[in-house]
Amino acid sequence: MTVPTHHPGDTLLIDYAGGALGEAASLIVATHLALCPCCRLNVAEMEAVGGALLESIEPEEVDPACLETVLARLGDLPPLPRAPRPKLVCQPAEVPLLPEPLRRYVGNDLSRLPWKRLMRGMDCYDIPLGFPLEAGSERRGKARLMRLASGVGPPHHTHRGIELTLVLDGGFTDDLGQFARGDLSVADDSVRHRPVADEEGCLCLAVTDAPLHFTGALGLILNPFVKF
């Protein structure tokens, strides 16, 4: 079970440091690291430990023909596209509203984005990711910017997968607490909440790996139309 928190858990950071996350999750974690010096230090320490462990592994003898065999088999495989993993970029003391690597995906002018109105006071922009999904392939996740006016939020919902929400500006409050700039909310199917933007409104980056599941009477109406 994922425990909702203002910072990512060690498992999420370890997966990021090890390159095990998909493009969308890597994007939100890397953007969070640009805003959180403590988590940035934790990842640097994890990478250093991982490097030290690799150096300590004794080399194993292999068949001299092994390399030729592997290369021959690789030549028979069709090329597979690889989504670029966002890299952490060192930031000055004053971090821009949209830090790297997020700015490489959306630019630095929010007014130029084709925002889509979801409801009064709530707009979203679906962030294009690196490569389209192939039939039968594993989902990378979906990333979008969310812009909420003061006092506005989505209906109560739970999750069919994992939902990561990073506050870029302003803040929101839900059943779990208050989240401000740089805070990262991590929620799974055990969490039922309704995030509501604080008085100053909220701009956030949200990543999901499955559709939300709206609860209550409103959910009976909305869920059949929810697409991922």
Side-chain angles (χ1 to χ4, degrees), residues 39-64:
C39 290
R40 195 160 62 239
L41 177 60
N42 288 341
V43 168
E45 291 176 344
M46 292 173 185
E47 291 174 336
V49 170
L53 290 175
L54 287 175
E55 290 291 335
S56 66
I57 297 176
E58 292 293 332
E60 293 283 344
E61 291 188 7
V62 297
D63 188 327

Side-chain angles (χ1 to χ4, degrees), residues 122-203:
M122 183 187 301
D123 301 321
C124 78
Y125 169 66
D126 291 332
I127 299 174
L129 299 178
F131 295 92
L133 290 174
E134 296 181 358
S137 63
E138 184 178 358
R139 291 188 179 275
R140 297 181 314 269
K142 187 172 186 176
R144 56 172 41 177
L145 289 176
M146 300 291 298
R147 186 171 61 184
L148 287 75
S150 174
V152 174
H156 273 96
H157 62 274
T158 183
H159 315 84
R160 293 186 174 97
I162 300 297
E163 179 187 42
L164 306 174
T165 307
L166 171 66
V167 178
L168 300 169
D169 193 28
F172 70 84
T173 302
D174 62 7
D175 309 65
L176 308 172
Q178 186 174 27
F179 294 80
R181 176 169 165 83
D183 289 339
L184 181 63
S185 168
V186 183
D188 64 5
D189 59 0
S190 69
V191 176
R192 178 182 180 273
H193 64 160
R194 180 176 184 262
V196 176
D198 294 338
E199 184 177 356
E200 67 273 27
C202 182
L203 174 68

